Amino acid sequence: MSDEITKEKQRVAEALARVDAQRERLSSQLKELEATERVLGRYGRRPRARKTASAQTTTPYIEDHARRVIEPSMTAHKETEAGMSFIITKAQKTELRRLGYSEEQIREMKPEDAHRALGLIS
């Protein structure tokens, strides 16, 4: 009987060790996902929502960001190879006005969108 109790205690101890190891792995993954979420929030294409005390980030939004931001960045783009400006120059703003964009549209436009509208990138 004593041997059975010892074996059961050993089995339970091993199970607890496995659970602890899995908890550590999951905790590490959670930290990585939270860091990725912060990066996507900073550098994503959508404007960041202002957070309130009750604001909750939804999983579909994060998954959508991952598909649009992370996956495309894994392959080289010709814009990246050729070099892409991170600003809209005065000359480019003038051309956008000529194309019919309003001052407000130009002010709110991201450089990538402006360059696409001007035909500088595809």
Side-chain angles (χ1 to χ4, degrees), residues 34-49 51 61 65 69 110:
E34 288 170 344
T36 302
E37 182 180 19
R38 285 192 303 274
V39 169
L40 289 175
R42 268 187 229 131
Y43 299 108
R45 296 176 189 216
R46 291 184 184 171
R48 283 178 32 183
K51 294 199 176 195
Y61 178 75
H65 256 358
V69 177
K110 293 181 181 180

PDB file of all heavy atoms in Angstrom, residues 34-49 51 61 65 69 110:
ATOM      1  N   GLU A  34       1.034  40.456 -26.313  1.00  0.00           N
ATOM      2  CA  GLU A  34       0.763  41.811 -25.837  1.00  0.00           C
ATOM      3  C   GLU A  34       1.746  42.807 -26.434  1.00  0.00           C
ATOM      4  O   GLU A  34       1.374  43.912 -26.821  1.00  0.00           O
ATOM      5  CB  GLU A  34       0.801  41.854 -24.312  1.00  0.00           C
ATOM      6  CG  GLU A  34      -0.398  41.164 -23.670  1.00  0.00           C
ATOM      7  CD  GLU A  34      -0.263  40.994 -22.172  1.00  0.00           C
ATOM      8  OE1 GLU A  34       0.863  41.122 -21.630  1.00  0.00           O
ATOM      9  OE2 GLU A  34      -1.293  40.707 -21.527  1.00  0.00           O
ATOM     10  N   ALA A  35       3.025  42.406 -26.531  1.00  0.00           N
ATOM     11  CA  ALA A  35       4.027  43.281 -27.142  1.00  0.00           C
ATOM     12  C   ALA A  35       3.714  43.490 -28.624  1.00  0.00           C
ATOM     13  O   ALA A  35       3.802  44.616 -29.137  1.00  0.00           O
ATOM     14  CB  ALA A  35       5.428  42.683 -26.975  1.00  0.00           C
ATOM     15  N   THR A  36       3.317  42.432 -29.310  1.00  0.00           N
ATOM     16  CA  THR A  36       2.951  42.544 -30.722  1.00  0.00           C
ATOM     17  C   THR A  36       1.748  43.453 -30.893  1.00  0.00           C
ATOM     18  O   THR A  36       1.705  44.280 -31.804  1.00  0.00           O
ATOM     19  CB  THR A  36       2.646  41.147 -31.308  1.00  0.00           C
ATOM     20  OG1 THR A  36       3.798  40.323 -31.145  1.00  0.00           O
ATOM     21  CG2 THR A  36       2.273  41.228 -32.776  1.00  0.00           C
ATOM     22  N   GLU A  37       0.797  43.326 -30.008  1.00  0.00           N
ATOM     23  CA  GLU A  37      -0.393  44.182 -30.068  1.00  0.00           C
ATOM     24  C   GLU A  37      -0.020  45.652 -29.911  1.00  0.00           C
ATOM     25  O   GLU A  37      -0.520  46.515 -30.629  1.00  0.00           O
ATOM     26  CB  GLU A  37      -1.376  43.762 -28.974  1.00  0.00           C
ATOM     27  CG  GLU A  37      -2.665  44.558 -28.970  1.00  0.00           C
ATOM     28  CD  GLU A  37      -3.605  44.109 -27.873  1.00  0.00           C
ATOM     29  OE1 GLU A  37      -3.154  43.444 -26.909  1.00  0.00           O
ATOM     30  OE2 GLU A  37      -4.790  44.421 -27.973  1.00  0.00           O
ATOM     31  N   ARG A  38       0.906  45.946 -28.992  1.00  0.00           N
ATOM     32  CA  ARG A  38       1.347  47.336 -28.814  1.00  0.00           C
ATOM     33  C   ARG A  38       2.033  47.848 -30.066  1.00  0.00           C
ATOM     34  O   ARG A  38       1.801  48.977 -30.498  1.00  0.00           O
ATOM     35  CB  ARG A  38       2.284  47.434 -27.605  1.00  0.00           C
ATOM     36  CG  ARG A  38       1.565  47.363 -26.275  1.00  0.00           C
ATOM     37  CD  ARG A  38       2.481  47.746 -25.116  1.00  0.00           C
ATOM     38  NE  ARG A  38       3.680  46.934 -25.029  1.00  0.00           N
ATOM     39  CZ  ARG A  38       3.768  45.775 -24.397  1.00  0.00           C
ATOM     40  NH1 ARG A  38       2.706  45.275 -23.804  1.00  0.00           N
ATOM     41  NH2 ARG A  38       4.892  45.105 -24.354  1.00  0.00           N
ATOM     42  N   VAL A  39       2.888  47.028 -30.671  1.00  0.00           N
ATOM     43  CA  VAL A  39       3.593  47.437 -31.893  1.00  0.00           C
ATOM     44  C   VAL A  39       2.601  47.680 -33.016  1.00  0.00           C
ATOM     45  O   VAL A  39       2.683  48.685 -33.731  1.00  0.00           O
ATOM     46  CB  VAL A  39       4.653  46.382 -32.309  1.00  0.00           C
ATOM     47  CG1 VAL A  39       5.186  46.648 -33.688  1.00  0.00           C
ATOM     48  CG2 VAL A  39       5.784  46.361 -31.284  1.00  0.00           C
ATOM     49  N   LEU A  40       1.653  46.765 -33.186  1.00  0.00           N
ATOM     50  CA  LEU A  40       0.653  46.934 -34.236  1.00  0.00           C
ATOM     51  C   LEU A  40      -0.183  48.180 -33.998  1.00  0.00           C
ATOM     52  O   LEU A  40      -0.554  48.869 -34.937  1.00  0.00           O
ATOM     53  CB  LEU A  40      -0.248  45.706 -34.311  1.00  0.00           C
ATOM     54  CG  LEU A  40       0.396  44.448 -34.864  1.00  0.00           C
ATOM     55  CD1 LEU A  40      -0.560  43.272 -34.763  1.00  0.00           C
ATOM     56  CD2 LEU A  40       0.829  44.656 -36.291  1.00  0.00           C
ATOM     57  N   GLY A  41      -0.464  48.470 -32.746  1.00  0.00           N
ATOM     58  CA  GLY A  41      -1.217  49.680 -32.428  1.00  0.00           C
ATOM     59  C   GLY A  41      -0.455  50.937 -32.797  1.00  0.00           C
ATOM     60  O   GLY A  41      -1.030  51.917 -33.257  1.00  0.00           O
ATOM     61  N   ARG A  42       0.858  50.903 -32.624  1.00  0.00           N
ATOM     62  CA  ARG A  42       1.689  52.069 -32.962  1.00  0.00           C
ATOM     63  C   ARG A  42       1.917  52.218 -34.450  1.00  0.00           C
ATOM     64  O   ARG A  42       1.907  53.307 -34.974  1.00  0.00           O
ATOM     65  CB  ARG A  42       3.051  51.942 -32.282  1.00  0.00           C
ATOM     66  CG  ARG A  42       3.087  52.592 -30.951  1.00  0.00           C
ATOM     67  CD  ARG A  42       4.492  52.586 -30.399  1.00  0.00           C
ATOM     68  NE  ARG A  42       4.373  52.091 -29.035  1.00  0.00           N
ATOM     69  CZ  ARG A  42       5.084  51.161 -28.492  1.00  0.00           C
ATOM     70  NH1 ARG A  42       6.054  50.596 -29.147  1.00  0.00           N
ATOM     71  NH2 ARG A  42       4.875  50.776 -27.263  1.00  0.00           N
ATOM     72  N   TYR A  43       2.168  51.119 -35.123  1.00  0.00           N
ATOM     73  CA  TYR A  43       2.594  51.180 -36.518  1.00  0.00           C
ATOM     74  C   TYR A  43       1.576  50.633 -37.494  1.00  0.00           C
ATOM     75  O   TYR A  43       1.864  50.524 -38.674  1.00  0.00           O
ATOM     76  CB  TYR A  43       3.915  50.413 -36.697  1.00  0.00           C
ATOM     77  CG  TYR A  43       5.009  51.009 -35.852  1.00  0.00           C
ATOM     78  CD1 TYR A  43       5.471  50.350 -34.717  1.00  0.00           C
ATOM     79  CD2 TYR A  43       5.552  52.234 -36.166  1.00  0.00           C
ATOM     80  CE1 TYR A  43       6.461  50.894 -33.936  1.00  0.00           C
ATOM     81  CE2 TYR A  43       6.536  52.791 -35.381  1.00  0.00           C
ATOM     82  CZ  TYR A  43       6.989  52.108 -34.275  1.00  0.00           C
ATOM     83  OH  TYR A  43       7.958  52.653 -33.495  1.00  0.00           O
ATOM     84  N   GLY A  44       0.397  50.285 -37.013  1.00  0.00           N
ATOM     85  CA  GLY A  44      -0.639  49.756 -37.898  1.00  0.00           C
ATOM     86  C   GLY A  44      -1.146  50.828 -38.838  1.00  0.00           C
ATOM     87  O   GLY A  44      -0.885  52.017 -38.694  1.00  0.00           O
ATOM     88  N   ARG A  45      -1.913  50.431 -39.821  1.00  0.00           N
ATOM     89  CA  ARG A  45      -2.437  51.348 -40.823  1.00  0.00           C
ATOM     90  C   ARG A  45      -3.668  52.091 -40.340  1.00  0.00           C
ATOM     91  O   ARG A  45      -3.957  53.165 -40.821  1.00  0.00           O
ATOM     92  CB  ARG A  45      -2.765  50.585 -42.099  1.00  0.00           C
ATOM     93  CG  ARG A  45      -1.534  50.007 -42.716  1.00  0.00           C
ATOM     94  CD  ARG A  45      -1.878  49.195 -43.912  1.00  0.00           C
ATOM     95  NE  ARG A  45      -0.683  48.477 -44.340  1.00  0.00           N
ATOM     96  CZ  ARG A  45      -0.385  48.246 -45.577  1.00  0.00           C
ATOM     97  NH1 ARG A  45      -1.161  48.648 -46.528  1.00  0.00           N
ATOM     98  NH2 ARG A  45       0.710  47.600 -45.884  1.00  0.00           N
ATOM     99  N   ARG A  46      -4.427  51.497 -39.442  1.00  0.00           N
ATOM    100  CA  ARG A  46      -5.620  52.157 -38.925  1.00  0.00           C
ATOM    101  C   ARG A  46      -5.213  53.151 -37.857  1.00  0.00           C
ATOM    102  O   ARG A  46      -4.272  52.929 -37.119  1.00  0.00           O
ATOM    103  CB  ARG A  46      -6.560  51.147 -38.296  1.00  0.00           C
ATOM    104  CG  ARG A  46      -7.194  50.243 -39.293  1.00  0.00           C
ATOM    105  CD  ARG A  46      -8.177  49.352 -38.583  1.00  0.00           C
ATOM    106  NE  ARG A  46      -8.734  48.397 -39.503  1.00  0.00           N
ATOM    107  CZ  ARG A  46      -9.485  47.401 -39.144  1.00  0.00           C
ATOM    108  NH1 ARG A  46      -9.778  47.212 -37.880  1.00  0.00           N
ATOM    109  NH2 ARG A  46      -9.968  46.572 -40.029  1.00  0.00           N
ATOM    110  N   PRO A  47      -5.956  54.255 -37.751  1.00  0.00           N
ATOM    111  CA  PRO A  47      -5.655  55.178 -36.653  1.00  0.00           C
ATOM    112  C   PRO A  47      -5.942  54.491 -35.324  1.00  0.00           C
ATOM    113  O   PRO A  47      -6.873  53.698 -35.221  1.00  0.00           O
ATOM    114  CB  PRO A  47      -6.619  56.344 -36.876  1.00  0.00           C
ATOM    115  CG  PRO A  47      -7.551  55.934 -37.945  1.00  0.00           C
ATOM    116  CD  PRO A  47      -7.021  54.693 -38.594  1.00  0.00           C
ATOM    117  N   ARG A  48      -5.120  54.785 -34.342  1.00  0.00           N
ATOM    118  CA  ARG A  48      -5.295  54.160 -33.044  1.00  0.00           C
ATOM    119  C   ARG A  48      -6.524  54.717 -32.358  1.00  0.00           C
ATOM    120  O   ARG A  48      -6.772  55.909 -32.366  1.00  0.00           O
ATOM    121  CB  ARG A  48      -4.077  54.429 -32.169  1.00  0.00           C
ATOM    122  CG  ARG A  48      -2.918  53.573 -32.551  1.00  0.00           C
ATOM    123  CD  ARG A  48      -1.687  53.830 -31.773  1.00  0.00           C
ATOM    124  NE  ARG A  48      -1.884  54.257 -30.404  1.00  0.00           N
ATOM    125  CZ  ARG A  48      -0.906  54.572 -29.611  1.00  0.00           C
ATOM    126  NH1 ARG A  48       0.330  54.521 -30.039  1.00  0.00           N
ATOM    127  NH2 ARG A  48      -1.122  54.957 -28.392  1.00  0.00           N
ATOM    128  N   ALA A  49      -7.278  53.832 -31.771  1.00  0.00           N
ATOM    129  CA  ALA A  49      -8.448  54.257 -31.013  1.00  0.00           C
ATOM    130  C   ALA A  49      -7.974  54.762 -29.658  1.00  0.00           C
ATOM    131  O   ALA A  49      -7.036  54.222 -29.075  1.00  0.00           O
ATOM    132  CB  ALA A  49      -9.401  53.087 -30.832  1.00  0.00           C
ATOM    133  N   LYS A  51      -8.001  54.947 -25.887  1.00  0.00           N
ATOM    134  CA  LYS A  51      -8.420  53.943 -24.919  1.00  0.00           C
ATOM    135  C   LYS A  51      -9.033  54.621 -23.708  1.00  0.00           C
ATOM    136  O   LYS A  51      -8.529  55.599 -23.204  1.00  0.00           O
ATOM    137  CB  LYS A  51      -7.232  53.086 -24.495  1.00  0.00           C
ATOM    138  CG  LYS A  51      -6.712  52.258 -25.636  1.00  0.00           C
ATOM    139  CD  LYS A  51      -5.896  51.130 -25.145  1.00  0.00           C
ATOM    140  CE  LYS A  51      -5.493  50.295 -26.328  1.00  0.00           C
ATOM    141  NZ  LYS A  51      -5.002  49.032 -25.965  1.00  0.00           N
ATOM    142  N   TYR A  61      -9.748  42.457 -34.654  1.00  0.00           N
ATOM    143  CA  TYR A  61      -8.961  43.630 -35.033  1.00  0.00           C
ATOM    144  C   TYR A  61      -7.471  43.288 -35.060  1.00  0.00           C
ATOM    145  O   TYR A  61      -6.769  43.627 -35.997  1.00  0.00           O
ATOM    146  CB  TYR A  61      -9.237  44.764 -34.044  1.00  0.00           C
ATOM    147  CG  TYR A  61      -8.432  46.007 -34.311  1.00  0.00           C
ATOM    148  CD1 TYR A  61      -8.767  46.849 -35.366  1.00  0.00           C
ATOM    149  CD2 TYR A  61      -7.349  46.334 -33.515  1.00  0.00           C
ATOM    150  CE1 TYR A  61      -8.034  47.982 -35.617  1.00  0.00           C
ATOM    151  CE2 TYR A  61      -6.614  47.467 -33.759  1.00  0.00           C
ATOM    152  CZ  TYR A  61      -6.963  48.295 -34.804  1.00  0.00           C
ATOM    153  OH  TYR A  61      -6.229  49.423 -35.055  1.00  0.00           O
ATOM    154  N   HIS A  65      -5.056  43.105 -38.322  1.00  0.00           N
ATOM    155  CA  HIS A  65      -3.782  43.840 -38.383  1.00  0.00           C
ATOM    156  C   HIS A  65      -2.635  42.903 -38.737  1.00  0.00           C
ATOM    157  O   HIS A  65      -1.787  43.239 -39.548  1.00  0.00           O
ATOM    158  CB  HIS A  65      -3.483  44.480 -37.033  1.00  0.00           C
ATOM    159  CG  HIS A  65      -3.729  45.947 -36.993  1.00  0.00           C
ATOM    160  ND1 HIS A  65      -4.146  46.682 -38.066  1.00  0.00           N
ATOM    161  CD2 HIS A  65      -3.591  46.819 -35.980  1.00  0.00           C
ATOM    162  CE1 HIS A  65      -4.265  47.925 -37.723  1.00  0.00           C
ATOM    163  NE2 HIS A  65      -3.951  48.055 -36.454  1.00  0.00           N
ATOM    164  N   VAL A  69      -0.505  43.771 -41.832  1.00  0.00           N
ATOM    165  CA  VAL A  69       0.749  44.443 -41.526  1.00  0.00           C
ATOM    166  C   VAL A  69       1.935  43.495 -41.441  1.00  0.00           C
ATOM    167  O   VAL A  69       2.956  43.712 -42.073  1.00  0.00           O
ATOM    168  CB  VAL A  69       0.619  45.246 -40.198  1.00  0.00           C
ATOM    169  CG1 VAL A  69       1.929  45.892 -39.842  1.00  0.00           C
ATOM    170  CG2 VAL A  69      -0.468  46.288 -40.333  1.00  0.00           C
ATOM    171  N   LYS A 110      -1.843  59.556 -45.134  1.00  0.00           N
ATOM    172  CA  LYS A 110      -0.545  58.972 -44.797  1.00  0.00           C
ATOM    173  C   LYS A 110       0.359  59.078 -46.021  1.00  0.00           C
ATOM    174  O   LYS A 110      -0.128  59.032 -47.156  1.00  0.00           O
ATOM    175  CB  LYS A 110      -0.702  57.503 -44.401  1.00  0.00           C
ATOM    176  CG  LYS A 110      -1.454  57.327 -43.106  1.00  0.00           C
ATOM    177  CD  LYS A 110      -1.565  55.880 -42.746  1.00  0.00           C
ATOM    178  CE  LYS A 110      -2.354  55.725 -41.462  1.00  0.00           C
ATOM    179  NZ  LYS A 110      -2.476  54.334 -41.081  1.00  0.00           N
TER     180      LYS A 110
END
